[in-house]
Amino acid sequence: MGSGIAAHLANIGIPTLLLDIAPSELLEQEAKKGLSLNDKEVKNRLSSGALQKLLKQKPAPLTSKKNLALIQAGNFVDDMPSLSEVDWVIEVVVENLEIKKKVFEQVDKYRKQGSIVSSNTSGISVEAMIEGRTDDFKKNFLGTHFFNPPRYLKLLEVIPTSSTDQEVLAFMKQFGEDVLGKGVVEAKDTPNFIANRIGTYGLLVTVREMLEGGYSVGEVDSITGPMIGRPKSATFRTLDVVGLDTFAHVAKNVYDQVEGEEKEVFRIPSFLQKMLNNKWLGSKSGQGFFLKQGKEILELDPETLEYIPRKKLKTAATELSKQEKGTANKLKALVYSEDRAGSLLWKILSPVLVYSAELLGTIADDITAIDQAMKWGFGWDMGPFEVWDAIGLEKSVAKMEADGLTLPDWVKKLAESGSPQFYKEEEGHTLFYLNGEYRVQAANPKNINLKQYKKIHGVIKKNSGASLIDLGDGVALLEFHSPNNAIGPDINQMINYAIDEVEKNYKGLVIGNQGKNFCVGANLAMILMEAQDDNVYELDMVVRHFQQAMMKVKYSAKPVVAAPFGMTLGGGAEVCLPAAKVQASSETYMGLVETGVGLIPGGGGNKELYMKHLDSLPNGIDFDLQKVANKVFETIALAKVSTSGEEARDNNFLDDEDGVSVNPDHLIYDAKQAVLALSEAGYTPPVRKKVPVVGETGYAALLLGAEAMHLSGIISEHDLKIAKKLAFVIAGGNIPYGTEVDEQYLLDLEREAFLSLVAEGKSQQRMQHMLLKGKPLRN
């Protein structure tokens, strides 16, 4: 966890010192090298080893391997004096209060006055940690609980003590959101704070109901995942990933500190204890609630502790919920059903909702902190009180009381009021219920919620694929909202309209949205349908129009800033490449992946990536044009996708002037500021220029590797055909090496190659397989 936090800080650009204990014994290989316990290499073994593991871990803690250079390894013996040079000390040692207090005694000795100190404890009292510390230490100390893995999980719980300076608390909350990119909630100093307290309770309730209702592990997971707005890992797969030992530790932390019925809920069931004894801890031990045998995944029978074929729960309610749109409607269809699925979900959800309400004021001051903690820490689509609103407060409270559940008086009072809901919208603001009244939910001005924004400001123009929105301050935004944000003629039409409108009336344009992903590419189903109908003319027009729209983006008189996030593939990348600037989310997975469906990029992606590589080279220095062509060919042919925004820069999809937003909620705001900065700097569009290509000799060089792979049986004959088409486009066709051509010439080559591959039966098979199976076919 310590190295994971260090990696997150390095990803942001913060130099970090990672300290660990100095070993008390030499390893055999260290002794053979003649090293002693006094050698720095030995003393730094644990911290250095942790840094090397960062390069191998999956998912990757680092957004770029080069970020490792910002982390320096050290040890507690030699390097504690270095704490006098740092601004923030984060303790991430073992969850033992006495050990933590000893560490803080040393930290207090060496830290500089005014530096912030925090503990990453997952549940130990932060108040107890500061006993005996100096006043300056106490006022600058608080808990900062990162969720694991720190790069990917958004939640940061901030836990002040009674001595924490309010300015320090306010600073850390702002710093956590604006710089660390986290969703920050303030928690009270109680066992397991907010998310782990409720999350662990919910998991144990689920285990209890599974046992009492005679459900299987697989049946529970089949209905406690995306069907109710939870991650795909659902319940037991989540426990396998987290590790049963870690889960048991967190549960015991609450068990040891609470009383009565609550204590019994946090008691680990006997079959879980047997799993712990057997070291069946989940993914880390190779088996847990699930066991993979060959291609088959087996589930654990909690009664016999034997692995059996995995089951799924399918009922009338689960089938009905599939017809509903949105998590709220799916939940309503499920929880009030009397069949096995509905009964289980009601018995799982209702106690968690009541428990969350009981803890209001104990673990957090308001319902928004609880809801946000569960969404950001556990990946829920909706927090407990949002779920309660979705299923209907009045109806659900009546059912809970009929079941014998005891609800807090404040919930019953709200249920009996004229407005029985925890949240409501008024004049574009979200209001939440607290102490008998509704209060406006505080929001960072950098959080632009497009759904709410459109309710207040409307849209300039929209069609089925996209909307043009006035973002204020002279900036417009083009929002994609087609299924999967796939690009078709509707989006193409709106791109053209948006550029024309912006050139007349605005300072610039942001292309962005707040869907699941920025854009997964072109409308593959439409392309396949036209190809199978032999509509070559229609496809030619579609591709031609998309190419023209991308050129319009590139040479717009006003700056266009693309704001990609998540999957930004194929046509999605092609939208970004010609933009005046890209403001990418840190978690942007960008690539030209068309070879995976038997095609090559057709909207200008080959040309733009090639030109990006050329533009990244220093002026006035000779370079090998063939190496540039080779690099671009390899990136597209192998369908390389960046694993982060920073890696997209390493792959030349982004250049040095492009930005990366660490907080995804700030992406639209940051992109808008980029437009304004370009406008205020007197933006002028790029000048059209000729492009040098490698020609026919370069084409032959590009094919050498592909042909060797074909002869070795690594790639198929159709893969080789795709590679030849791609190489011809990147090389610029059958012309002499070094010939300078205009962009339209390259676009024409690209379109012709794309259309010829679309007509291939094997490419159509690949497209169909991707649409049906969601993964590439190698035929």
Side-chain angles (χ1 to χ4, degrees), residues 86-104:
V86 308
D87 301 305
W88 181 17
V89 179
I90 310 172
E91 168 272 310
V92 201
V93 302
V94 66
E95 289 285 77
N96 179 294
L97 178 60
E98 293 309 311
I99 293 176
K100 288 179 185 291
K101 289 172 73 172
K102 288 179 181 178
V103 169
F104 285 132

Side-chain angles (χ1 to χ4, degrees), residues 579-592:
K581 182 173 182 177
V582 178
Q583 183 69 36
S585 170
S586 183
E587 297 305 322
T588 300
Y589 316 121
M590 185 180 288
L592 295 168

Side-chain angles (χ1 to χ4, degrees), residues 540-616:
D540 179 76
M541 290 301 296
V542 169
V543 177
R544 193 184 297 269
H545 287 160
F546 185 45
Q547 289 182 343
Q548 290 168 352
M550 294 304 95
M551 291 292 278
K552 202 165 184 174
V553 166
K554 183 172 186 176
Y555 293 108
S556 167
K558 302 292 179 66
V560 178
V561 174
F565 62 94
M567 287 196 288
T568 303
L569 306 176
E574 288 180 307
V575 169
C576 298
L577 287 168
K581 182 173 182 177
V582 178
Q583 183 69 36
S585 170
S586 183
E587 297 305 322
T588 300
Y589 316 121
M590 185 180 288
L592 295 168
V593 296
E594 286 83 352
T595 58
V597 289
L599 306 172
I600 69 165
N606 307 285
K607 167 185 71 78
E608 288 297 337
L609 187 60
Y610 180 67
M611 292 181 73
K612 278 262 191 186
H613 276 73
L614 291 177
D615 290 342
S616 69

Side-chain angles (χ1 to χ4, degrees), residues 287-364:
Q287 69 184 97
F289 293 99
F290 295 100
L291 173 66
K292 189 172 183 180
Q293 286 190 348
K295 292 185 177 181
E296 186 180 9
I297 296 176
L298 304 176
E299 64 174 65
L300 184 72
D301 183 328
E303 290 190 7
T304 65
L305 290 189
E306 295 178 351
Y307 288 96
I308 59 177
R310 187 166 53 166
K311 302 174 187 174
K312 289 186 178 181
L313 186 57
K314 184 177 179 180
T315 70
T318 61
E319 294 308 295
L320 179 61
S321 73
K322 292 176 183 178
Q323 310 305 316
E324 299 289 346
K325 290 187 177 181
T327 301
N329 291 326
K330 289 179 184 295
L331 279 169
K332 277 189 283 190
L334 286 162
V335 297
Y336 294 120
S337 166
E338 298 296 332
D339 66 18
R340 288 190 78 226
S343 177
L344 176 61
L345 286 174
W346 174 257
K347 290 177 180 177
I348 287 172
L349 285 174
S350 56
V352 173
L353 302 185
V354 174
Y355 187 65
S356 301
E358 288 174 341
L359 290 177
L360 183 65
T362 300
I363 61 174

Side-chain angles (χ1 to χ4, degrees), residues 193-470:
F193 311 127
I194 301 174
N196 276 343
R197 179 76 169 267
I198 293 173
T200 305
Y201 179 91
L203 287 165
L204 285 166
V205 165
T206 303
V207 172
R208 180 189 70 195
E209 295 301 334
M210 176 190 72
L211 295 174
E212 292 183 1
Y215 296 89
S216 81
V217 165
E219 285 180 325
V220 171
D221 266 17
S222 69
I223 63 167
T224 57
M227 190 177 291
I228 61 168
R230 305 281 176 86
K232 288 182 179 179
S233 55
T235 300
F236 294 104
R237 177 62 186 141
T238 295
L239 289 174
D240 272 355
V241 171
V242 169
L244 187 57
D245 53 344
T246 302
F247 172 72
H249 170 78
V250 173
K252 187 176 185 302
N253 191 49
V254 181
Y255 177 83
D256 290 341
Q257 299 182 63
V258 297
E259 301 294 335
E261 291 182 15
E262 184 180 8
K263 190 180 189 74
E264 284 309 302
V265 173
F266 283 92
R267 185 189 298 275
I268 294 293
S270 59
F271 91 94
L272 293 187
Q273 190 58 56
K274 290 176 182 176
M275 290 176 67
L276 287 168
N277 296 340
N278 291 343
K279 303 296 183 185
W280 296 353
L281 307 179
S283 301
K284 68 175 80 175
S285 65
Q287 69 184 97
F289 293 99
F290 295 100
L291 173 66
K292 189 172 183 180
Q293 286 190 348
K295 292 185 177 181
E296 186 180 9
I297 296 176
L298 304 176
E299 64 174 65
L300 184 72
D301 183 328
E303 290 190 7
T304 65
L305 290 189
E306 295 178 351
Y307 288 96
I308 59 177
R310 187 166 53 166
K311 302 174 187 174
K312 289 186 178 181
L313 186 57
K314 184 177 179 180
T315 70
T318 61
E319 294 308 295
L320 179 61
S321 73
K322 292 176 183 178
Q323 310 305 316
E324 299 289 346
K325 290 187 177 181
T327 301
N329 291 326
K330 289 179 184 295
L331 279 169
K332 277 189 283 190
L334 286 162
V335 297
Y336 294 120
S337 166
E338 298 296 332
D339 66 18
R340 288 190 78 226
S343 177
L344 176 61
L345 286 174
W346 174 257
K347 290 177 180 177
I348 287 172
L349 285 174
S350 56
V352 173
L353 302 185
V354 174
Y355 187 65
S356 301
E358 288 174 341
L359 290 177
L360 183 65
T362 300
I363 61 174
D365 285 329
D366 60 63
I367 63 173
T368 66
I370 294 174
D371 279 346
Q372 289 170 335
M374 298 316 299
K375 291 190 289 186
W376 294 337
F378 277 73
W380 293 7
D381 287 353
M382 304 165 71
F385 297 99
E386 291 171 323
V387 167
W388 218 331
D389 273 349
I391 65 175
L393 180 58
E394 192 174 5
K395 183 177 180 180
S396 61
V397 164
K399 185 171 171 59
M400 289 171 184
E401 290 185 322
D403 290 346
L405 292 174
T406 303
L407 286 92
D409 288 341
W410 72 272
V411 173
K412 290 194 285 185
K413 183 179 177 181
L414 177 59
E416 294 165 0
S417 70
S419 179
Q421 58 192 85
F422 294 100
Y423 294 95
K424 60 182 181 180
E425 300 289 329
E426 276 188 12
E427 299 177 355
H429 296 292
T430 299
L431 279 64
F432 67 94
Y433 185 80
L434 182 66
N435 297 329
E437 62 180 9
Y438 286 93
R439 304 187 184 186
V440 176
Q441 185 172 343
N444 189 318
K446 294 180 180 180
N447 292 355
I448 298 176
N449 184 307
L450 292 180
K451 187 176 181 180
Q452 288 187 338
Y453 190 90
K454 287 188 291 184
K455 286 180 181 178
I456 304 170
H457 302 282
V459 299
I460 301 168
K461 185 175 181 178
K462 69 177 292 186
N463 63 19
S464 59
S467 295
L468 185 63
I469 305 163
D470 187 334

